[in-house]
Amino acid sequence: MPALCRSLRTTGFCGNSACQHRHDLRICEICSVVCTSDAVYKSHITGKRHLAQIRGDSATSYCTVCAKMVGGGARSWSMHVAGRPHQKKAANQGVPPNVQPELLPPSESAPDGYQHCGLCNKNIRTESWSLHLSSSKHQKMQKYAAHQAVIGEATKDKHGVTISPEEVLNLGIISSSETRSGVEGRLVAKNTVPLSRIMFVSAQLISKSRNTPWSIDATAVVGELLVHGRDSPITIKCKSTHDGHFEDRVEFVFEDVALKQQFVIVRFIRLIVGDRDVYERLKPTTPYTPRIRSKREPETKVFPGEAPPATNAVPYVTKLPPAPIPKSIASVMNTGTTKDKVNSIRNTILPKILDVASHGRYFKTLLWIEEKRSEEDLEIYDEHDGRLTLNQSRKHYLLEVAGLAEKRPSVLVGDRILVQRHGSDKGHWYEGHVHFVHQKEVGLQFHCSFTGHNPGHRYNVRFKLNRIPLRRQHQALDVALRGEHLFFPVARHIAGLNAPTRVVIPYNPIIALNPAQMQAIRSILSMKDRSVPFVVFGPPGTGKTVTIVEAIRQILRHNPNARILACAPSNSAADLIASRLTMYSQDQLFRFYAPSRTKKDVPDKLVPFVYEKQMELDRVERSMRDYFSVPPMTRLRRFNIIVSTCVSASVAYGVGLQRGHFTHIFIDEAGQATEPEAMISIKTMADDQTKVILSGDPKQLGPIVRCPVARELELDTSYLERMMKSDIYSEDSPNTGITWSRTSDLIALS
Ligand SMILES: [Zn+2]
Ligand SMILES: [Zn+2]
Ligand SMILES: [Zn+2]
Ligand SMILES: [Zn+2]
């Protein structure tokens, strides 16, 4: 028997139509088992373990009445609940005896003397914890989690191309009399990015076997460009005369024509041929799944609120990916100590090496880990005695938030806050969208069914994490731009280059006196296509921003058609750059602010360079308000300089500016942005001609990362710092003026 395809195992796809290896890698989702051949899979699904799992015989759960763990799955749980000791305790406590099984005791991750393993969904005695981590059972769960991560990456939509349905095309259960002549299903590919040129290269079955019951018809779309806004359908056919489970994978290969970059999206296809009644009977009868109890009671029903007009102020055309935290990451992050988590993430989900191929998945994983922590951090602001007052327009409810002024918690327009009136149904919450933020209170708007409020009512209050900035980072990391010269530059990318010596006459006379700054400007002006990022670094107060501003002006002097995107991690840093460029006209310079910001935050000097859009605040009162937005496309395209924060820079891709639109991308204070934040502008907008310039201080405090696991895995190492750790940026290298320039305080700067 030939070996299993290595690429399939490590990336979720094969990608080689001539590959001679086996491709029958199967998984049992019910048991969380990876099967390395069809034969192994067949023996698994008829085996004892699989059948026990279907009956729910193996789970351990926690009884809140008896305060103890109950092993043996669904059957022994019902025996336990029916038993005398349990019934007696319930009666003594005055609670109904038919409690639900919990995965863990309340308010702690594992009972005393136990460690919780989120991967195996089990509490393990502390003394056998290290033994458990090396047990074959646990190792198998790690393997499964690793496989899930690979599948997640292979099946996710990428580079603005979506294929529906997501993940699996399931044709259901169909009798063999119907499948004899063949049953059909349809997958639809779409290009969601205007002006991008995506070629449909191929659609192939992974099985590659001649006796597969599946066939694909993609003749109408293969070799064609995916037109934005138009469906590209692919027909899948299954023809079988005998009963059985039929599963295969389809590998879709696309190419970004401008980037000459290919990428793969995988879809599973599934069909059961047989008698529907028989299969219905064989399905797991008691879906026995004890639930994980977090400190927060679960939200069983949330009445959606009314989004503020700010939400629609920017005319986005590309949709953000939902990018929910994958189960495998959630379960690893629920396993043991920080050290265990770090090891577990390294052994399972995180790609083994960080390189061009794994870059996106690597940082997506770190983002999710950090998100988990951010979610938990918000729980400390939960309120149990919240008060609401209806404002004069009788449209918004004002909620007083202690610590609002100190940004503890930080609340922005567009965020969501859940409230629950005391005494109302447990698990039922009303979602309030934040429409405005004042000094001490926020204005919320609820679903129209939120009625009957009186000033005496008290509420439970929960703050929800705003996932939009995270989803923007995921969107950028889903892009297939692989430019090695941008992300993993090495010596051959700068072979034969010398520090440029051209004559530059600076606008800012102080710079003329500073050789290092002059060198930086000469170097930036001389950057060629496929240049590695140029780094301007140095301690605070040595004129890095002055240098960047001068470089931007010199670029425009030499090329009046240049288009520059200048970003920084914070609004204040972005304001600093923009306010030094106000010698340009309103047709040349644009300072973009997110619609959630308010005008009072804008420095006077920059007011002429923003764009606002009037949105209706209240239809009845016909009141209007201005929100920050972007001007119409024709005008947006003409700006020479657009300044924004790193995260807000996603607006360019979001409203449909074409990749390659910007000749230069600057990131100032780059040492304080996480790599995913820095990637937003670069991954969504750069092509081979785009020049990337980073400035900052790698020795200063890096980006703030809350989760110790994410820190251990170096999410707090900025893109700038990672670059500077590589050989060609080393201060000991002879590459000054080629890859880097170090500003120093030779001259005191104002
Ligand atoms: Zn292969
Ligand atoms: Zn199974
Ligand atoms: Zn009990
Ligand atoms: Zn385990």
Side-chain angles (χ1 to χ4, degrees):
M1 199 160 67
L4 196 64
C5 173
R6 202 187 125 73
S7 168
L8 180 66
R9 233 178 25 206
T10 54
T11 65
F13 60 88
C14 165
N16 172 8
S17 55
C19 179
Q20 293 296 314
H21 293 106
R22 277 191 304 112
H23 298 94
D24 51 346
L25 184 64
R26 306 287 302 272
I27 52 174
C28 173
E29 279 167 0
I30 297 168
C31 309
S32 310
V33 167
V34 183
C35 302
T36 50
S37 77
D38 266 334
V40 172
Y41 179 73
K42 273 188 191 123
S43 84
H44 168 79
I45 57 167
T46 51
K48 238 173 36 199
R49 181 168 163 215
H50 180 79
L51 296 172
Q53 192 71 32
I54 284 181
R55 287 195 303 267
D57 284 354
S58 55
T60 304
S61 45
Y62 182 80
C63 175
T64 48
V65 172
C66 308
K68 71 170 203 182
M69 304 299 296
V70 179
R75 209 180 311 162
S76 58
W77 173 260
S78 46
M79 273 161 62
H80 169 83
V81 171
R84 277 268 293 286
H86 175 89
Q87 295 279 336
K88 215 165 150 188
K89 280 198 187 101
N92 285 343
Q93 292 168 25
V95 292
N98 53 338
V99 288
Q100 288 300 306
E102 306 274 354
L103 208 49
L104 296 173
S107 77
E108 52 182 324
S109 54
D112 269 354
Y114 286 87
Q115 281 276 21
H116 184 70
C117 179
L119 277 168
C120 305
N121 235 336
K122 260 191 180 140
N123 287 324
I124 310 291
R125 286 195 176 279
T126 308
E127 61 263 30
S128 26
W129 178 244
S130 57
L131 210 66
H132 170 76
L133 292 181
S134 54
S135 69
S136 74
K137 228 175 180 176
H138 180 81
Q139 300 282 328
K140 270 186 185 160
M141 292 311 289
Q142 285 204 333
K143 230 186 212 163
Y144 181 72
H147 186 69
Q148 289 298 87
V150 163
I151 295 291
E153 175 70 14
T155 56
K156 84 173 184 210
D157 291 333
K158 297 176 187 75
H159 208 72
V161 174
T162 64
I163 295 180
S164 55
E166 287 169 26
E167 272 179 69
V168 188
L169 173 69
N170 197 338
L171 297 180
I173 306 166
I174 293 175
S175 71
S176 55
S177 60
E178 287 170 85
T179 54
R180 195 158 293 146
S181 53
V183 277
E184 281 186 2
R186 207 167 83 129
L187 288 155
V188 177
K190 265 188 192 149
N191 177 7
T192 65
V193 183
L195 303 176
S196 71
R197 298 184 64 221
I198 308 292
M199 168 81 81
F200 199 127
V201 178
S202 66
Q204 274 202 4
L205 287 168
I206 187 75
S207 62
K208 298 183 175 85
S209 99
R210 254 162 281 120
N211 47 22
T212 177
W214 298 96
S215 59
I216 305 177
D217 182 4
T219 43
V221 287
V222 164
E224 302 289 324
L225 286 177
L226 284 179
V227 181
H228 171 245
R230 198 189 294 167
D231 287 359
S232 293
I234 305 101
T235 305
I236 308 284
K237 201 168 177 179
C238 190
K239 206 170 171 179
S240 172
T241 50
H242 60 277
D243 290 359
H245 286 252
F246 297 100
E247 184 183 285
D248 211 325
R249 303 182 195 191
V250 191
E251 296 181 0
F252 295 97
V253 181
F254 301 95
E255 181 172 322
D256 184 310
V257 179
L259 289 173
K260 296 188 187 68
Q261 176 72 62
Q262 292 202 345
F263 56 98
V264 178
I265 300 177
V266 170
R267 284 293 175 270
F268 286 84
I269 46 179
R270 247 173 235 160
L271 171 69
I272 296 175
V273 179
D275 186 334
R276 191 183 307 253
D277 293 341
V278 171
Y279 277 101
E280 289 297 332
R281 272 203 302 280
L282 279 177
K283 267 205 335 213
T285 42
T286 42
Y288 179 79
T289 42
R291 61 186 176 85
I292 297 180
R293 185 169 183 151
S294 77
K295 280 170 223 150
R296 285 174 164 184
E297 281 283 333
E299 291 139 16
T300 52
K301 182 161 189 178
V302 176
F303 298 89
E306 288 284 327
T311 316
N312 301 315
V314 175
Y316 285 108
V317 291
T318 52
K319 255 173 78 182
L320 283 177
I325 301 179
K327 265 203 206 113
S328 50
I329 290 186
S331 56
V332 173
M333 290 305 285
N334 207 357
T335 296
T337 62
T338 297
K339 208 176 138 210
D340 295 329
K341 288 173 186 149
V342 170
N343 285 336
S344 213
I345 291 278
R346 279 211 180 105
N347 292 337
T348 55
I349 293 149
L350 204 65
K352 294 285 169 286
I353 39 167
L354 175 60
D355 61 10
V356 275
S358 69
H359 185 265
R361 193 179 128 208
Y362 193 95
F363 283 104
K364 280 170 76 78
T365 305
L366 298 192
L367 261 187
W368 276 316
I369 292 170
E370 175 71 0
E371 176 180 354
K372 234 181 147 255
R373 174 60 187 252
S374 313
E375 243 176 17
E376 287 162 17
D377 281 352
L378 268 181
E379 291 186 18
I380 61 166
Y381 299 112
D382 283 1
E383 273 268 7
H384 303 290
D385 198 29
R387 290 150 200 244
L388 294 176
T389 41
L390 195 55
N391 77 346
Q392 278 173 339
S393 74
R394 305 193 59 77
K395 189 170 174 188
H396 299 108
Y397 286 87
L398 304 177
L399 171 72
E400 238 181 79
V401 180
L404 190 61
E406 297 86 51
K407 291 196 191 302
R408 288 199 304 250
S410 148
V411 181
L412 296 174
V413 171
D415 283 359
R416 298 173 312 129
I417 296 174
L418 300 187
V419 306
Q420 179 183 60
R421 195 172 293 162
H422 284 186
S424 58
D425 277 346
K426 221 179 173 187
H428 286 204
W429 294 82
Y430 275 93
E431 173 191 62
H433 281 266
V434 177
H435 282 232
F436 50 84
V437 180
H438 291 158
Q439 202 63 20
K440 286 181 173 160
E441 59 198 8
V442 297
L444 303 175
Q445 199 173 336
F446 297 105
H447 192 256
C448 55
S449 64
F450 184 82
T451 51
H453 167 78
N454 79 48
H457 283 148
R458 293 294 175 268
Y459 294 84
N460 294 322
V461 179
R462 280 180 186 177
F463 296 88
K464 301 300 279 186
L465 185 67
N466 185 348
R467 297 191 69 248
I468 301 286
L470 295 166
R471 290 168 64 194
R472 295 199 191 293
Q473 294 169 64
H474 280 289
Q475 181 180 53
L477 294 169
D478 286 343
V479 159
L481 176 71
R482 286 192 173 183
E484 202 180 16
H485 63 286
L486 290 177
F487 309 124
F488 299 91
V490 288
R492 75 180 152 82
H493 294 119
I494 54 166
L497 292 181
N498 294 309
T501 53
R502 65 199 290 170
V503 177
V504 173
I505 303 153
Y507 287 100
N508 183 342
I510 299 171
I511 286 188
L513 306 171
N514 191 319
Q517 293 179 356
M518 284 301 289
Q519 184 57 61
I521 288 154
R522 274 195 295 270
S523 302
I524 293 168
L525 279 178
S526 310
M527 286 173 82
K528 304 263 176 349
D529 293 353
R530 298 190 137 265
S531 271
V532 303
F534 190 80
V535 173
V536 180
F537 72 98
T542 54
K544 293 186 294 288
T545 305
V546 174
T547 309
I548 292 310
V549 166
E550 180 71 30
I552 290 174
R553 297 181 68 186
Q554 292 291 342
I555 288 167
L556 285 169
R557 170 187 274 172
H558 289 86
N559 175 12
N561 295 321
R563 286 181 299 256
I564 297 159
L565 176 61
C567 352
S570 66
N571 269 300
S572 54
D575 282 343
L576 187 64
I577 302 174
S579 60
R580 290 181 179 179
L581 290 165
T582 52
M583 64 289 282
Y584 291 100
S585 77
Q586 293 171 33
D587 291 326
Q588 292 176 294
L589 173 67
F590 173 48
R591 170 71 173 101
F592 172 71
Y593 288 103
S596 56
R597 287 192 69 83
T598 52
K599 217 168 172 178
K600 66 173 166 40
D601 302 325
V602 178
D604 293 342
K605 226 179 151 184
L606 293 180
V607 171
F609 300 96
V610 304
Y611 183 84
E612 288 173 295
K613 196 167 168 180
Q614 231 183 29
M615 306 282 292
E616 192 173 64
L617 198 61
D618 189 322
R619 199 173 309 148
V620 185
E621 295 174 7
R622 318 199 100 248
S623 59
M624 308 289 278
R625 217 200 97 171
D626 289 338
Y627 290 96
F628 291 121
S629 180
V630 289
M633 208 49 157
T634 44
R635 203 177 145 210
L636 187 66
R637 275 201 206 108
R638 284 203 305 266
F639 288 116
N640 288 117
I641 313 163
I642 297 180
V643 182
S644 81
T645 60
C646 289
V647 171
S648 290
S650 74
V651 74
Y653 184 70
V655 300
L657 276 181
Q658 195 169 8
R659 177 180 293 284
H661 172 82
F662 296 105
T663 53
H664 296 76
I665 296 175
F666 284 82
I667 303 181
D668 197 15
E669 301 289 1
Q672 284 165 44
T674 62
E675 181 144 351
E677 280 171 340
M679 284 306 116
I680 290 181
S681 53
I682 299 172
K683 280 222 162 179
T684 60
M685 280 289 116
D687 66 6
D688 280 349
Q689 273 105 55
T690 313
K691 284 96 192 162
V692 173
I693 299 100
L694 309 173
S695 55
D697 180 4
K699 294 205 171 66
Q700 230 181 328
L701 216 57
I704 295 164
V705 170
R706 306 266 317 140
C707 175
V709 178
R711 277 204 300 272
E712 193 62 35
L713 297 169
E714 299 187 4
L715 182 60
D716 59 350
T717 299
S718 65
Y719 174 44
L720 172 87
E721 194 184 341
R722 183 170 73 78
M723 288 291 111
M724 296 206 51
K725 279 179 180 166
S726 70
D727 292 346
I728 65 164
Y729 290 93
S730 156
E731 271 194 82
D732 308 327
S733 74
N735 294 337
T736 173
I738 300 169
T739 59
W740 58 268
S741 190
R742 185 181 194 282
T743 59
S744 57
D745 42 8
L746 278 177
I747 309 285
L749 288 159
S750 55

